[in-house]
Amino acid sequence: MAVSDQDIAYMQHALHLAEKGLFTTDPNPRVGCVLVKQNKIIGEGWHEYAGQPHAEVMAIQTTHVPLDGACCYVTLEPCCHQGLTPPCTQLLIESNISRVVIAMTDPNPVVAGKGINELLEAGIEVELGVLEAEARELNKGFIKRQNTGLPYVVCKQGMSIDAKTAMASGESQWITGKQARREVQVLRARSGAVITGSGTVLVDNPSLNVRHADLPLAYQQQPFNQPLRVILDSKGKLTDEATIFHLEGEAIWVTTEDSSLSSDDVECLKITATDEGKISLLPVLQWLGERGINEVLLEAGANLAGAFVADDLIDELVIFMAPKVLGHKGRSLLNIPHIDKLTDAKTFQFKDVEVIDQDIRLRFIKG
Amino acid sequence: MAVSDQDIAYMQHALHLAEKGLFTTDPNPRVGCVLVKQNKIIGEGWHEYAGQPHAEVMAIQTTHVPLDGACCYVTLEPCCHQGLTPPCTQLLIESNISRVVIAMTDPNPVVAGKGINELLEAGIEVELGVLEAEARELNKGFIKRQNTGLPYVVCKQGMSIDAKTAMASGESQWITGKQARREVQVLRARSGAVITGSGTVLVDNPSLNVRHADLPLAYQQQPFNQPLRVILDSKGKLTDEATIFHLEGEAIWVTTEDSSLSSDDVECLKITATDEGKISLLPVLQWLGERGINEVLLEAGANLAGAFVADDLIDELVIFMAPKVLGHKGRSLLNIPHIDKLTDAKTFQFKDVEVIDQDIRLRFIKG
């Protein structure tokens, strides 16, 4: 049976359901599921928290009619392994569902096509790849971590047309407008961790947490977790009394192995130093990946953000651009010491643009 | 009679015709005209060169059926004055056309609604404002010059994501790709003049002219004029042997009234100096406006472009952005000395974005 317009519409609905877990599923993926029988939706569900039921289970629990002959739309291949919850494939097979439409295979190596095989062996018709690009976008962090052990790193910057992030004096509040700042709240809420540097903490004293009232209206009904705040402080410039260590949610103070920094109040992490005495960035990401964090938001100044770009560690660059010109005396977007020729330039690919009130949001992905 | 979908479609066609004069009508506006009778196009035309027939005359000349009862779609209010050609209103009235649909009134004070009044007084039905925004966009230069005496100034820049236009070494060819450079050719061809500074001439030795082979394919059938090349050289750094003075088309060497610069070969223009000994920019634009130039393209380095921004003389900022990062050592987009606080920032409005191969084109208009 070919893919129909209805298949696409039901999968679209399953993706909308999956987005209800946007802020809470880490380390798990965001998954939505819709059950359809005789062209009627008879059940729907989504995964909300690790340890709680998968989307398929949630959907089946909401049905009040027998499932035999029904079609299941699910945004990720059903699992076939015993994890914190039982395998979903068995449940679908036992329910006598006759067709399963799947957006994408599960990149988790213990599933990775085996779930689909189990369904096929049980005589269930399987359709794979419906709205796959949208499903992959929704779980770009989970996919990257499964494939590489590293989280998906989003670097967010606010700037003027001429890519200045602040005046020479440091004055920077606010270059972009209120609506752009609301979108930053969404970026934070969907991230398992937010990384910043000691310089930003000293200058701006930011909270880097999610404030319910500042989320866009469309997201205000959605549960969220505070992202882990990761503060890089290679030179030990901060004290454990900094505000950012003592807000709701977890914070971790990262320094180099050479540092004598310690605290009874704040969790510390010591990481290999680079030749220049900075914190090696890749091991920080590896540590976050091991902790099950799928997406990381980098909210840092020009030095730290530039270091991530220099090390090719940015998966996505999200620029909020205000339609202003600040002139050459303003502060540069990214400090990268070792670019001297055009061929040294770091290359990205344009992804998309959105108008956000008077500002625009430009997104670029790794080139 | 209300505006119908057909009216909009015919006006869209008239706008397409008008665009055939995109590169050649200065000092006149770009105008297209479609004649429709019993739902068939019976004639069409556009204005191509000053002194040649207006679009309405061209359209009428192509018809082979009587015009009584026909409808005329024209992108600009028909003229009612004897200029280089006779008034179009009389021609339409004498043709027994019964309805005239017009995109926008003529900003030229000798017309400015009087053309419409003449048609109405002759008993012709007139519909005004169909696709007005598109018509105004097409003639933004003509409109501005009629209203203010000044040309519409477009500042074009090529830059990286972090708004660098070149490496510290000056290396800049090419930040953006070939397709973006083709779009620059369109900007040049539609401009009556291109302004640059002596610094750019000394460093890049640019031609700043239109090269037929480099125009996008869609424009290669279209006639074009070489824009007037305007070279600002307040300090007299150039000699009259510079290549840019001796290419096809006209060039003018602009300096200050205090300068002793002169040439037998190149037309010179002396303009009031600012307190800093620079060329006053507004008088340059006034001079170009008096010469009948509707649109000016500024292709300059950070100092001259910054000076235009500082003086609020830019109507539209066109940025070709390559998805690259060059780092803080690259050259800034705009040098503007007197911006020290965020409230001093120069404000624009986002207009639109277009993907151009791997690059993007962002347009901003005066805020």
Side-chain angles (χ1 to χ4, degrees):
Chain A
M1 203 163 117
V3 174
S4 69
D5 286 351
Q6 283 185 323
D7 287 339
I8 293 169
Y10 288 129
M11 186 62 84
Q12 190 67 64
H13 184 51
L15 283 164
H16 283 310
L17 294 171
E19 281 172 16
K20 291 178 184 277
L22 190 67
F23 300 158
T24 47
T25 64
D26 260 19
N28 287 353
R30 297 128 187 172
V31 187
C33 179
V34 175
L35 297 166
V36 174
K37 190 170 172 179
Q38 290 160 344
N39 267 324
K40 277 193 188 140
I41 293 179
I42 56 166
E44 57 181 48
W46 64 92
H47 184 51
E48 194 160 61
Y49 288 102
Q52 291 194 6
H54 286 186
E56 300 91 322
V57 176
M58 292 284 280
I60 288 173
Q61 284 174 355
T62 64
T63 55
H64 300 288
V65 295
L67 284 167
D68 57 295
C71 181
C72 170
Y73 296 86
V74 60
T75 61
L76 186 74
E77 179 184 7
C79 70
C80 54
H81 64 301
Q82 178 72 41
L84 295 174
T85 56
C88 290
T89 46
Q90 284 314 307
L91 183 68
L92 294 172
I93 292 165
E94 286 160 16
S95 305
N96 287 317
I97 279 170
S98 61
R99 183 170 179 248
V100 179
V101 180
I102 301 168
M104 61 174 283
T105 54
D106 189 339
N108 183 345
V110 306
V111 187
K114 298 188 198 82
I116 290 172
N117 282 341
E118 281 191 16
L119 296 174
L120 289 170
E121 280 163 18
I124 294 175
E125 187 193 330
V126 175
E127 199 72 61
L128 176 67
V130 175
L131 298 183
E132 180 169 354
E134 290 81 352
R136 294 186 70 86
E137 169 68 23
L138 188 62
N139 281 314
K140 55 196 177 188
F142 179 75
I143 295 167
K144 187 184 172 200
R145 190 171 61 81
Q146 291 296 335
N147 289 335
T148 67
L150 300 172
Y152 186 91
V153 181
V154 174
C155 174
K156 165 248 139 187
Q157 296 281 350
M159 70 181 209
S160 61
I161 296 173
D162 52 343
K164 301 301 179 185
T165 57
M167 308 308 297
S169 65
E171 186 195 1
S172 71
Q173 289 187 326
W174 301 98
I175 289 179
T176 52
K178 192 171 182 182
Q179 200 55 40
R181 297 201 296 278
R182 287 184 180 273
E183 292 298 321
V184 173
Q185 291 285 317
V186 177
L187 287 178
R188 280 186 198 160
R190 65 178 290 164
S191 301
V194 177
I195 299 179
T196 194
S198 55
T200 299
V201 173
L202 286 170
V203 173
D204 293 340
N205 191 26
S207 69
L208 301 184
N209 59 8
V210 181
R211 292 175 291 274
H212 181 259
D214 292 342
L215 281 166
L217 274 182
Y219 290 96
Q220 290 206 348
Q221 301 305 314
Q222 225 159 300
F224 65 88
N225 300 324
Q226 288 295 348
L228 170 68
R229 294 182 298 279
V230 180
I231 295 95
L232 306 193
D233 183 17
S234 59
K235 298 280 180 288
K237 289 181 186 166
L238 303 178
T239 72
D240 59 7
E241 286 167 11
T243 315
I244 197 162
F245 294 130
H246 303 286
L247 299 165
E248 190 199 337
E250 287 182 83
I252 185 152
W253 192 4
V254 185
T255 185
T256 65
E257 282 178 344
D258 313 326
S259 169
S260 61
L261 181 154
S262 75
S263 170
D264 294 332
D265 285 345
V266 180
E267 188 185 355
C268 292
L269 174 68
K270 298 205 173 181
I271 295 277
T272 323
T274 66
D275 293 345
E276 290 103 16
K278 303 279 185 188
I279 295 162
S280 293
L281 299 176
L282 183 59
V284 174
L285 296 180
Q286 283 164 335
W287 185 87
L288 291 169
E290 281 161 20
R291 231 179 124 128
I293 284 167
N294 290 328
E295 296 180 23
V296 162
L297 181 64
L298 178 64
E299 296 199 65
N303 287 324
L304 184 54
F308 271 87
V309 172
D311 288 356
D312 296 316
L313 295 176
I314 303 292
D315 295 291
E316 189 170 316
L317 197 50
V318 178
I319 307 262
F320 293 92
M321 182 191 271
K324 298 173 186 170
V325 167
L326 301 191
H328 61 297
K329 294 192 290 183
R331 296 201 177 170
S332 280
L333 184 72
L334 296 164
N335 291 348
I336 310 176
H338 303 297
I339 299 182
D340 296 306
K341 299 191 300 292
L342 260 184
T343 48
D344 301 333
K346 295 295 179 179
T347 304
F348 290 82
Q349 278 178 48
F350 175 67
K351 181 180 180 184
D352 60 17
V353 62
E354 196 167 315
V355 175
I356 296 180
D357 215 349
Q358 81 272 36
D359 304 316
I360 58 173
R361 186 196 67 198
L362 295 164
R363 298 199 296 179
F364 300 88
I365 53 173
K366 205 168 203 166
Chain B
M1 204 163 115
V3 173
S4 69
D5 287 351
Q6 283 186 325
D7 287 338
I8 292 170
Y10 288 128
M11 186 61 84
Q12 189 67 63
H13 184 52
L15 283 164
H16 283 310
L17 295 169
E19 280 172 17
K20 290 176 185 278
L22 190 66
F23 300 158
T24 47
T25 63
D26 260 19
N28 286 354
R30 298 129 185 171
V31 187
C33 179
V34 176
L35 297 166
V36 175
K37 190 171 173 179
Q38 290 160 346
N39 267 325
K40 278 193 187 139
I41 292 179
I42 56 167
E44 57 181 48
W46 64 93
H47 184 52
E48 194 159 59
Y49 288 101
Q52 290 195 7
H54 285 187
E56 300 91 324
V57 177
M58 292 285 279
I60 288 172
Q61 283 174 355
T62 63
T63 56
H64 300 289
V65 294
L67 285 167
D68 56 294
C71 180
C72 169
Y73 295 85
V74 62
T75 61
L76 186 74
E77 178 184 7
C79 70
C80 54
H81 64 299
Q82 179 71 43
L84 295 173
T85 56
C88 290
T89 46
Q90 283 315 307
L91 184 67
L92 294 172
I93 292 165
E94 285 160 15
S95 305
N96 286 319
I97 278 170
S98 60
R99 184 168 178 249
V100 179
V101 180
I102 300 167
M104 60 172 284
T105 53
D106 189 341
N108 183 344
V110 305
V111 187
K114 297 188 197 81
I116 290 172
N117 282 342
E118 281 191 16
L119 297 174
L120 288 171
E121 279 163 18
I124 294 176
E125 188 192 329
V126 175
E127 198 73 59
L128 176 67
V130 176
L131 298 182
E132 179 168 356
E134 291 80 354
R136 295 186 70 86
E137 169 67 22
L138 188 64
N139 281 314
K140 55 196 176 187
F142 179 75
I143 295 167
K144 187 182 170 198
R145 189 171 61 80
Q146 291 296 336
N147 289 335
T148 67
L150 299 172
Y152 186 91
V153 181
V154 174
C155 174
K156 166 247 139 189
Q157 295 282 349
M159 70 179 208
S160 61
I161 296 172
D162 52 342
K164 301 300 178 185
T165 58
M167 307 308 298
S169 66
E171 186 195 359
S172 70
Q173 290 187 326
W174 301 98
I175 288 178
T176 52
K178 193 172 182 181
Q179 201 53 42
R181 298 200 296 277
R182 286 184 181 273
E183 292 299 322
V184 173
Q185 290 285 316
V186 177
L187 286 178
R188 279 186 199 160
R190 65 178 290 164
S191 300
V194 177
I195 299 180
T196 194
S198 56
T200 299
V201 173
L202 287 169
V203 172
D204 294 340
N205 191 26
S207 69
L208 300 184
N209 60 8
V210 181
R211 292 176 291 274
H212 181 258
D214 292 342
L215 280 168
L217 274 182
Y219 291 96
Q220 290 205 350
Q221 301 305 315
Q222 222 158 301
F224 64 87
N225 299 325
Q226 289 294 349
L228 171 67
R229 294 182 298 280
V230 181
I231 296 96
L232 306 193
D233 183 16
S234 59
K235 298 280 177 291
K237 289 181 185 167
L238 303 177
T239 73
D240 59 6
E241 286 167 10
T243 315
I244 197 161
F245 293 131
H246 304 287
L247 300 166
E248 189 199 337
E250 288 181 84
I252 185 151
W253 192 5
V254 184
T255 187
T256 65
E257 282 177 344
D258 313 326
S259 170
S260 60
L261 182 156
S262 75
S263 170
D264 294 333
D265 285 345
V266 181
E267 188 185 355
C268 293
L269 174 68
K270 299 204 174 183
I271 295 278
T272 325
T274 64
D275 293 344
E276 290 101 17
K278 303 278 184 188
I279 295 162
S280 294
L281 299 175
L282 183 60
V284 174
L285 296 180
Q286 284 164 334
W287 183 87
L288 291 168
E290 279 161 22
R291 231 179 125 128
I293 285 167
N294 291 328
E295 297 181 22
V296 163
L297 181 64
L298 178 64
E299 295 199 66
N303 287 326
L304 184 54
F308 271 87
V309 172
D311 288 355
D312 296 316
L313 294 176
I314 304 293
D315 294 293
E316 189 170 315
L317 197 50
V318 178
I319 308 262
F320 293 92
M321 182 191 272
K324 297 173 186 171
V325 167
L326 300 191
H328 61 295
K329 293 192 292 183
R331 295 200 178 171
S332 280
L333 183 74
L334 295 165
N335 291 348
I336 309 175
H338 302 298
I339 299 184
D340 295 305
K341 299 190 300 293
L342 261 183
T343 48
D344 300 333
K346 294 296 180 179
T347 304
F348 289 82
Q349 277 177 49
F350 175 69
K351 182 180 181 184
D352 59 18
V353 62
E354 195 166 316
V355 175
I356 297 180
D357 216 347
Q358 80 272 37
D359 303 316
I360 58 174
R361 187 195 67 198
L362 295 164
R363 298 200 293 181
F364 299 89
I365 53 172
K366 206 169 204 168

